[in-house]
């Protein structure tokens, strides 16, 4: 099973500043990496797939990078509506499909 | 519009059974594999089970293998999760999710709002 590890657990960022979230895989997942945003009381929403491709309707301030075992989600200019928990997920080697434990983004 | 809607959750005693449903609309259900993913209170996302578009292959997390059964009825555009021998640790919100493309291994781009299952005596 591929273990996904996210850091930090919590990130506090002021509006307009950059937020950088990290995700590490226990073995290579190539570019088969997705990022999801989950706001309080809501279902997860796909943000990024293929490590760097924005899903339909996702604002350009969200970007993904990386390949192999190291990945980054960047929010270039944090907005108040970006308050959420962000999860990475690998879909390279399955089953199981595995998620990271999440990074909570707080507005400072 | 493309959507999936879960139902069937509730409060159930340990050891009992429950069946969840997920009704799909706005897309050709029979062309897509489908997942169940759960989230325990205050915890992260855990993949539970996956079924191929035609039901020919099914996969389960170790935590539910032998107790849960995923199935589908393509004539009714509906996905199911039969949960037997329920335990307290199965308490969670259960989401059904559709992959982005016809490749069953793809990222999940359509999610329902979830149905809550509480296992308690």
């Amino acid at each position: 099973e591929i273990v996904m590890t996210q850091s930090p657990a919590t990130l506090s960022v002021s509006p307009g500043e950059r937020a950088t979230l990290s995700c590490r895989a226990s073995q290579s997942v190539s570019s088969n990496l997705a990022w999801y945003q989950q706001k309080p009381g809501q279902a997860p929403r796909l943000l990024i797939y293929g490590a760097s491709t924005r899903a339909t309707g996702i604002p350009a301030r969200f970007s993904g990078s990386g390949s192999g075992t190291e990945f980054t989600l960047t929010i270039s200019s944090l907005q108040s509506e970006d308050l959420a928990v962000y999860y990475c997920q690998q879909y390279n080697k399955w089953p199981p499909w595995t998620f990271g434990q999440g990074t909570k983004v707080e507005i400072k | 519009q493309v959507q999936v809607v879960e139902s069937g959750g509730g409060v159930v005693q340990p050891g009992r059974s429950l069946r969840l449903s997920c009704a799909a609309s706005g897309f050709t259900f029979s062309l897509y594999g489908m997942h169940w993913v759960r989230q325990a209170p205050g915890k992260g996302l855990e993949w539970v089970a996956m079924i191929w578009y035609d039901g020919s292959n099914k996969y389960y997390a170790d935590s539910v293998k032998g107790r849960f059964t995923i199935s589908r009825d393509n004539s009714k555009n509906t996905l199911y999760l039969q949960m037997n021998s329920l335990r307290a640790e199965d308490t969670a919100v259960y989401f059904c999710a559709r992959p982005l493309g016809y490749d069953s291994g793809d990222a999940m781009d359509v999610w329902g709002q979830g149905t809550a299952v509480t296992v308690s005596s």
Side-chain angles (χ1 to χ4, degrees):
Chain A
E1 172 178 331
I2 298 178
V3 176
M4 307 301 292
T5 303
Q6 292 185 240
S7 61
T10 304
L11 187 62
S12 186
V13 180
S14 298
E17 291 191 345
R18 177 185 299 261
T20 302
L21 290 67
S22 296
C23 175
R24 174 177 293 178
S26 60
Q27 60 184 268
S28 177
V29 298
S30 187
S31 293
N32 295 313
L33 189 284
W35 290 95
Y36 300 87
Q37 176 193 64
Q38 188 178 33
K39 295 182 178 180
Q42 296 186 16
R45 174 193 185 193
L46 178 65
L47 292 177
I48 301 284
Y49 62 94
S52 61
T53 302
R54 277 190 302 277
T56 302
I58 302 304
R61 66 179 182 273
F62 292 93
S63 63
S65 63
S67 66
T69 62
E70 300 284 343
F71 300 88
T72 300
L73 174 69
T74 301
I75 310 173
S76 60
S77 178
L78 194 77
Q79 308 296 304
S80 57
E81 62 262 33
D82 299 333
L83 162 71
V85 180
Y86 293 81
Y87 295 93
C88 63
Q89 178 227 348
Q90 70 82 21
Y91 52 96
N92 188 64
K93 186 175 179 183
W94 48 265
W97 287 258
T98 49
F99 294 88
Q101 79 278 21
T103 291
K104 183 178 182 180
V105 172
E106 298 180 335
I107 308 301
K108 189 183 292 185
Chain B
Q1 71 278 26
V2 174
Q3 66 174 1
V4 292
V5 179
E6 304 92 338
S7 61
V11 180
V12 61
Q13 293 179 328
R16 303 298 287 260
S17 300
L18 202 61
R19 189 178 82 157
L20 307 182
S21 299
C22 169
S25 60
F27 65 98
T28 306
F29 180 71
S30 60
L31 294 181
Y32 289 85
M34 293 293 295
H35 296 268
W36 286 101
V37 176
R38 69 184 180 184
Q39 186 170 38
K43 302 298 184 182
L45 301 170
E46 179 190 17
W47 171 78
V48 173
M50 188 275 178
I51 185 169
W52 278 27
Y53 69 100
D54 60 355
S56 60
N57 284 286
K58 304 174 184 180
Y59 307 97
Y60 299 94
D62 287 345
S63 57
V64 307
K65 200 171 293 182
R67 299 187 300 121
F68 289 12
T69 302
I70 189 171
S71 63
R72 64 191 298 156
D73 185 337
N74 284 346
S75 69
K76 296 182 178 179
N77 292 339
T78 303
L79 174 73
Y80 302 101
L81 186 67
Q82 177 67 43
M83 304 186 295
N84 298 332
S85 303
L86 282 161
R87 306 168 180 168
E89 54 265 35
D90 296 318
T91 294
V93 174
Y94 286 73
F95 298 100
C96 70
R98 190 203 77 173
L100 179 63
Y102 299 150
D103 182 350
S104 294
D106 217 338
M108 304 171 196
D109 79 322
V110 178
W111 294 72
Q113 283 304 303
T115 187
V117 173
T118 302
V119 183
S120 174
S121 54

